[in-house]
Amino acid sequence: MSTTLRARRSCLAVPGSSQKFIDKARTLDSDQVFLDLEDACAPLAKPGARTTIVESLNEGGWGTKLRVVRVNDWTTEWTFTDVVEVVGGAGANLDAIMLPKVQTPEQVVALDLLMTQIEKANGLEVGKIGIEAQIENALGLTNVNAIATASPRVETIIFGPADFMASINMKSLVVGEQPPGYDVGDAYHHILMSILMAARAHDKQAIDGPYLQIKDVDGFRRVAGRSAALGYDGKWVLHPGQIDAANETFAPSQADYDHAENILDAYEWFTSEAGGARGAVMLGDEMIDEASRKMALVISGKGRAAGMSRTEKWTPPEA
Ligand code: GLV
Ligand code: MG
């Protein structure tokens, strides 16, 4: 199953323990919302948050947003009960479970097996609920390809920069920015690219994690712009003020979207009988060929998933 067209430009993090934030999240324009049982939820609040999350999912009102719940990671005492309560209580109204701090493919397999059990026991369609795997430490990164393919449920691979920085002892406290003293490149490039390669190799979405300076929307745009440029599909947002920035940054510009659709139309026509069955042709001042079509498909796919419409349409020369 190809998941590349499900828009996840903005993935809104919402503490599962806050009814107020959950209610607010329903009204916001993010592509995805994830209700958090992990780090945004204090240990003592987790049992109550499970109930709040189940009720909130079942109440509905989420529109077209993807509904995701982040459970606790397998090294804690909470994961099993998180999954049993959330999938058992609201599985019909849930699109994916996010598993943080994934280190091995077995952890994904364990989650898949547990979800399958719960789906069967509750008369839910088996396999419909996806898995989002967060890569947050060195072991997870070295296993990222195996993690991506550990279950057909895996839809996204997510970079968790805060935990990752802590886990590799990075000498910095500012998530998303370069560590002070490192001035010869991008300290995150290898991590971002490894996740992106695993995602692209296995037809998953690649999602960038949070930017914690929530008032600095320009900073968010700058950091989001980097992962968007590489090919990432979206980024976490922690505050309503970051949503528009994410939706814009991870969608193509209107000009690029129009151009991509025009390349597709023109290439289809030129390669057809009517267009002379040619392979490499001129579109304006630009030569386009099969590789151009593939690049255009990426941009048009991102634009279509973002609900964009064309403002300019190419027509064949004879028309
Ligand atoms: C997110 O979970 C992060 O650790 O950055
Ligand atoms: Mg984390």
Side-chain angles (χ1 to χ4, degrees):
M1 173 185 69
S2 174
T3 55
T4 41
L5 290 183
R6 275 182 120 181
R8 278 182 167 97
R9 296 165 301 170
S10 48
C11 305
L12 178 66
V14 182
S17 50
S18 169
Q19 189 67 61
K20 186 174 135 224
F21 285 141
I22 292 175
D23 290 340
K24 174 81 183 163
R26 284 196 178 88
T27 70
L28 299 173
D29 206 17
S30 63
D31 289 336
Q32 170 175 312
V33 62
F34 77 85
L35 307 178
D36 195 12
L37 283 169
E38 204 219 16
D39 287 355
C41 195
L44 288 177
K46 291 184 198 284
R50 291 177 186 133
T51 310
T52 306
I53 286 175
V54 167
E55 285 171 4
S56 303
L57 290 170
N58 290 339
E59 271 165 23
W62 296 100
T64 57
K65 283 188 249 310
L66 287 166
R67 301 149 303 175
V68 178
V69 174
R70 180 165 74 163
V71 297
N72 289 278
D73 82 271
W74 277 123
T75 65
T76 69
E77 68 269 42
W78 299 301
T79 323
F80 174 81
T81 315
D82 288 348
V83 179
V84 169
E85 287 202 18
V86 170
V87 178
N93 297 308
L94 177 67
D95 295 301
I97 290 285
M98 186 188 298
L99 186 63
K101 301 180 180 65
V102 181
Q103 307 196 60
T104 63
E106 288 77 15
Q107 293 182 330
V108 173
V109 173
L111 177 60
D112 182 324
L113 289 173
L114 179 56
M115 289 166 73
T116 300
Q117 284 277 295
I118 303 165
E119 286 165 337
K120 285 183 176 167
N122 288 276
L124 298 165
E125 184 185 328
V126 171
K128 188 145 178 272
I129 303 169
I131 292 177
E132 303 200 344
Q134 252 192 301
I135 301 297
E136 308 200 73
N137 53 45
L139 186 56
L141 192 68
T142 57
N143 286 327
V144 66
N145 276 288
I147 288 167
T149 53
S151 157
R153 293 184 195 259
V154 175
E155 294 182 9
T156 69
I157 316 286
I158 305 167
F159 175 38
D163 275 301
F164 206 106
M165 290 165 74
S167 86
I168 62 170
N169 294 1
M170 192 178 262
K171 212 166 138 231
S172 168
L173 284 169
V174 186
V175 172
E177 301 294 351
Q178 300 302 314
Y182 190 74
D183 58 4
V184 290
D186 179 351
Y188 307 101
H189 187 73
H190 168 73
I191 308 168
L192 286 170
M193 281 309 242
S194 301
I195 290 173
L196 183 63
M197 291 308 113
R200 290 295 169 261
H202 305 297
D203 197 19
K204 313 295 179 187
Q205 288 188 318
I207 306 294
D208 193 8
Y211 184 73
L212 272 59
Q213 314 294 314
I214 56 173
K215 299 223 166 103
D216 182 2
V217 179
D218 289 341
F220 177 92
R221 280 185 192 276
R222 182 168 37 77
V223 173
R226 290 185 196 138
S227 53
L230 290 177
Y232 271 64
D233 299 285
K235 182 168 175 66
W236 283 16
V237 291
L238 303 181
H239 185 268
Q242 296 177 329
I243 294 176
D244 285 350
N247 288 346
E248 284 162 28
T249 306
F250 288 92
S253 68
Q254 184 67 47
D256 280 354
Y257 176 66
D258 284 337
H259 189 46
E261 294 288 11
N262 285 342
I263 289 175
L264 294 179
D265 285 353
Y267 190 71
E268 188 182 346
W269 187 80
F270 279 117
T271 52
S272 72
E273 203 80 49
R278 284 170 278 171
V281 292
M282 292 304 285
L283 176 65
D285 291 340
E286 177 189 16
M287 177 162 279
I288 59 169
D289 65 4
E290 179 57 26
S292 319
R293 188 186 71 87
K294 292 200 175 82
M295 291 168 70
L297 272 176
V298 171
I299 303 298
S300 79
K302 284 180 193 273
R304 288 178 203 179
M308 295 176 78
S309 12
R310 299 172 76 164
T311 58
E312 169 198 310
K313 190 161 168 36
W314 178 87
T315 46
E318 280 87 343

